[in-house]
Each structure stands twice: as structure tokens, then as C-alpha cells.
Amino acid sequence: MASRGPAGSHPISAEPLSRSIFRKFLLMLCSLLTALYVFYCLAERCQPLSGPVAGVPGLRVPPGPRELALWPAAAQRKRLLQLRQRRRVWPPRPREGSYEEPDTPGLVVGPGGSGAGSSVAEAPPGTLALLLDEGSKQLPQAIIIGVKKGGTRALLEFLRVHPDVRAVGAEPHFFDRSYHKGLAWYRDLMPRTLEGQITMEKTPSYFVTREAPARISAMSKDTKLIVVVRDPVTRAISDYTQTLSKRPDIPTFESLTFRNRSAGLIDTSWSAIQIGLYAKHLEPWLRHFPLGQMLFVSGERLVSDPAGELGRVQDFLGLKRIITDKHFYFNQTKGFPCLKKAEGSSKPHCLGKTKGRAHPAIAREVLRRLREFYRPFNLKFYQMTGRDFGWDG
Ligand SMILES: Nc1ncnc2c1ncn2[C@@H]1O[C@H](COP(=O)(O)OS(=O)(=O)O)[C@@H](OP(=O)(O)O)[C@H]1O
């Protein structure tokens, strides 16, 4: 009900009490919702600051230049390159490295999304300069050339945590299968790098490819070569397990191992056996590269002491020792070390299910015979490399 005021004036509001309380309640609710929204936005913008190379937990865009300004310089440069490359691609592409690891989570970046895309003008001068310099694609200065099933994926994934390492995720197979496509094609596969960053790739079949040493040397005599080696017997079983997972009808490991089982004659033409003759495969490499330009990583120690092996690799590559035991944790379910934060993510990351498969049980006598077969090759390999990998002790 409304009563009239003095002549010519508007009616005086005589709202019922309940309506005024309702309006106040609405006002409070709106304020509360606004506060919640502001709090939510702030929380999302703060999260990228939690780690240098890491992405954002639960957030679907990389951090912006303001956040990057607080990171160490090397991490900033790497992150900037990553986010610029991701923004260039729309619709989003899976994260590099997801080719073999389909369970690797990918970052999703929308066109003009928040983060860096929205605030180039706000960036501090140093960051702006970095944004203008987008880096360039370089031929790799270091390659993980082998060995198949040695632990090459683990090594590359771990190395990619380093802010000064940029690597192509998929195996390019340039020096064995695609050499005819030329170096320009190869270079184009590489991620962009800024000065001081190392470009890397891994293709484990290079180690056993006859032409690979001369071809890599023709690209650059200075290329650093990394070989992850693993007990050739376990490696052979791992190789067999991989084939078995794709073709379950293949003969048993035992029957493929022997040319004549009763005579104990090993079939060295079977690739699973052949690849483990490391001393033999190493010879042609040493005709093109000095030993000091090659690093042999123990596949076993990469599992038992990843930080220790990564320390050696970082030294070899002339990198600051940034990857340490703080980066790893042992995942009991997986049975392997995993990263606390993978490159481009703040989430723990284990390798996919194609890495660390359960091996079939192999007859004891077959294992004994294989160990006996490999022993002289292993000893020669220890001599050539100057490191006893402990497979025969
Ligand atoms: N951290 C971690 N997580 C999972 N797996 C690990 C890890 N470190 C080393 N390995 C071992 O890597 C083996 C696969 O080697 P590669 O990556 O060189 O295989 S491939 O040649 O690229 O197919 C793989 O072999 P299998 O165990 O036979 O699957 C693993 O034993």
C-alpha cells in the first residue's frame, strides 16, 4: 500500500518490512557471489607461480608473462617458447611426447585465452624482448641413439624437465628411415629454441643402423651421442615382450632364441638377440666420433638412481645440474621412478603403460645360456667404454 506525500511529490514508499529484508538479502548474496568470483580468479592466476617449468594444476592455459617474470630466466625462456608455440597451433595439438605415451595429459590452450595471450603489453621489458624473439629451429646438438628398450624414453622425458633442453617427442627416425627427406625436413621437426638451449631427439634404432654414424657426423661432427644400455638379456626379453603385446601368436622366447636348442646354438640373426651385441655395434660409431663425445647411461641405474644418471647426463651436455633427486619419486604401483612434475605440467608423471611391462617368465637354463653367450661381448663393451655395467657380476 502507498500513501500520497505533499502535493506534486511522488508517492512515499511504504514497503512492507519483509520486502526490504528480501532486498537486503539479495544485495548480500550478490556481494558474496562477487567476492567468491574474485577469489576464484585470483586463485587461478596464482597457481602458475608454484613451479618454474611446471604448468598449472587444473588450469587449461599456460601462465602469462607477469607470472613468468617471477621465474628463473632459463625456465622463463623455455615456458615462453612453449606457450608461443602452443598458441600458434589451433586446434590444440597433443603435447610433444604423447606420440608414444597416449596417456600423457595435454595442455589445452584456446585462442586469445587468458595467460600470456592477454597481456603482452603488461609484460616487463625483459620479458617483452623475449616474447619478440621467438627462437628458431635448430638441428639437434645431442641425440639419444639407443638402445631399443634400454630406457631411452625415460631418459628423454626426465631431461625435458631441464629448462635448457628442448626435445622432439616422437622418434624422427631420420638417420635410418627418412634420410632422403633432407636436413631441412629434419630441422623442421625440431622445437624452437633460444640461444643456450639444446635441441634433442631420441631414436633408439640409430645405434644399430650401419649408415647412422657417417650420416650424423656429416650433419655435425660435434653432435653429442647418448646411449642408454641395459643388460642385453633383459633387453632381449623386453624387446620380445613388446612384440608379443602386438602379436600374441608369435613363438615362445625360448624357441626364437635358439637356432638349435639342444646344441645351445643362439640365433644371432634374431634382432632381439642381435641388438644386445653392444661392442659390435659401437665399433662403427668410434670410427666417426671420439669416445669422449659419447655417453653411456646405465638403464638399470636410470631406474635405481635416476638423479645420479641424470647428473652425469647434464654434465656431459654442459648443463647446470638442475634435475636432482627432488624431481623424482618412486611410484609403488608402477614399480618405477616417476617425475613429481613433468615438463609443461605440475602433475606427477609416470611413463605410459607401454613402459615397464611385465615380462614373461623365461626358463632358467635359457637365461643361463644367454648370459654365457653375451659375457665376452659385454666384457669387450666395458673395456671400450671404460665402465663396468655389472651385468656379469
Ligand atoms: N622411469 C621409468 N618408467 C618406466 N620404464 C622405465 C623407466 N626407466 C626405465 N624404464 C625402462 O624403459 C624400458 C623401455 O625402454 P625404451 O623407452 O628405450 O623403449 S623403446 O625402445 O623406446 O621402445 C622399459 O622396459 P620394459 O620394462 O621391458 O617395459 C623400462 O624397463
Side-chain angles (χ1 to χ4, degrees), residues 148-154 202 230 238 337 355-357 359:
K148 184 182 177 194
K149 307 317 292 178
T152 55
R153 174 59 58 190
K202 79 117 181 162
R230 180 181 184 187
S238 171
K355 307 294 175 187
R357 292 185 178 104
H359 294 176

Side-chain angles (χ1 to χ4, degrees), residues 103-254:
D103 49 349
T104 302
L107 280 174
V108 183
V109 184
S114 63
S118 57
S119 50
V120 172
E122 302 168 1
T127 313
L128 187 61
L130 283 168
L131 278 170
L132 294 172
D133 179 3
E134 295 194 12
S136 56
K137 295 186 177 196
Q138 303 293 328
L139 289 167
Q141 295 92 37
I143 306 179
I144 301 173
I145 57 171
V147 300
K148 184 182 177 194
K149 307 317 292 178
T152 55
R153 174 59 58 190
L155 178 61
L156 192 71
E157 288 299 303
F158 296 166
L159 266 176
R160 290 171 76 174
V161 170
H162 199 292
D164 284 337
V165 173
R166 298 234 58 214
V168 54
E171 293 176 7
H173 281 279
F174 175 65
F175 296 105
D176 56 346
R177 297 181 197 155
S178 298
Y179 196 61
H180 59 280
K181 293 183 180 164
L183 282 172
W185 175 87
Y186 183 46
R187 181 174 22 227
D188 203 45
L189 297 180
M190 300 300 150
R192 287 173 184 272
T193 44
L194 293 172
E195 221 179 298
Q197 289 184 316
I198 295 177
T199 304
M200 291 191 71
E201 70 119 318
K202 79 117 181 162
T203 304
S205 49
Y206 292 162
F207 189 60
V208 297
T209 300
R210 210 165 26 93
E211 302 84 358
R215 289 174 174 178
I216 296 180
S217 170
M219 174 183 75
S220 169
K221 283 186 176 43
D222 299 328
T223 313
K224 292 187 177 180
L225 307 170
I226 300 176
V227 196
V228 188
V229 286
R230 180 181 184 187
D231 178 348
V233 180
T234 331
R235 198 220 67 82
I237 300 169
S238 171
D239 204 337
Y240 171 80
T241 309
Q242 172 164 288
T243 313
L244 190 67
S245 72
K246 292 175 190 158
R247 293 172 17 219
D249 54 339
I250 56 168
T252 61
F253 179 84
E254 286 85 344

